[in-house]
Amino acid sequence: MNLVVVQGLVRDDPVARSLSSGQQVISFELAVRTSDETLESVPIVVFDTACAVVPDDEVVVIGRVRKRFFRVGGSTQSRTEVVASRVVPARRRAQVSKALDHAIEVLSGG
C-alpha cells in the first residue's frame, strides 16, 4: 500500500500548469519539521482539483509517493514527489480527522 500523510507549511506560491493531456496540475513545496527539528522540503502535486493554498498555510496532505522520470536537455532526470488526494488546512481539525479516518479505512481494506 502506498499511502503517505504529511503535515507542514506551504513554502511558496503554488504553480499551476496544464499538461499536454489537458490535465491540470498544481505543485508546491511543503516545509516539514522532522523528529530532530530540522526542516525538509517535500514536493507536492495535485491533479485536476482546486487547491487554494498560499505560502505559510499549515496543511495536512494525504496521498501517495511517486517517482517520475523526464527528459531535460537530452538527459533523463527524476523527481520523487507526493501526489495528493487530499489537502486539508491543519486548523480544520474535524476535516483532518475525517481524512485520516478515511486513510485508515483504506489501509485496513475497508
Side-chain angles (χ1 to χ4, degrees):
M1 176 71 52
N2 182 354
L3 179 69
V4 64
V5 177
V6 185
Q7 180 173 341
L9 295 175
V10 176
R11 295 182 64 145
D12 297 313
D13 286 319
V15 175
R17 65 188 200 285
S18 295
L19 302 178
S20 58
S21 65
Q23 199 172 28
Q24 298 293 314
V25 63
I26 298 169
S27 59
F28 58 93
E29 296 286 324
L30 200 62
V32 177
R33 191 165 305 282
T34 65
S35 59
D36 65 354
E37 295 300 310
T38 59
L39 285 178
E40 294 181 340
S41 182
V42 177
I44 309 290
V45 294
V46 184
F47 288 94
D48 290 330
T49 305
C51 181
V53 296
V54 296
D56 296 326
D57 276 355
E58 185 175 9
V59 296
V60 174
V61 175
I62 299 173
R64 62 185 172 83
V65 176
R66 78 165 179 182
K67 186 169 192 167
R68 65 182 174 93
F69 297 88
F70 51 95
R71 304 272 306 164
V72 174
S75 66
T76 301
Q77 302 206 0
S78 67
R79 178 174 170 98
T80 302
E81 58 199 4
V82 173
V83 178
S85 56
R86 297 282 309 267
V87 178
V88 181
R91 71 181 180 285
R92 295 196 172 158
R93 297 286 184 205
Q95 284 183 346
V96 170
S97 180
K98 188 175 182 178
L100 291 172
D101 287 345
H102 181 264
I104 291 168
E105 185 178 315
V106 168
L107 278 175
S108 63

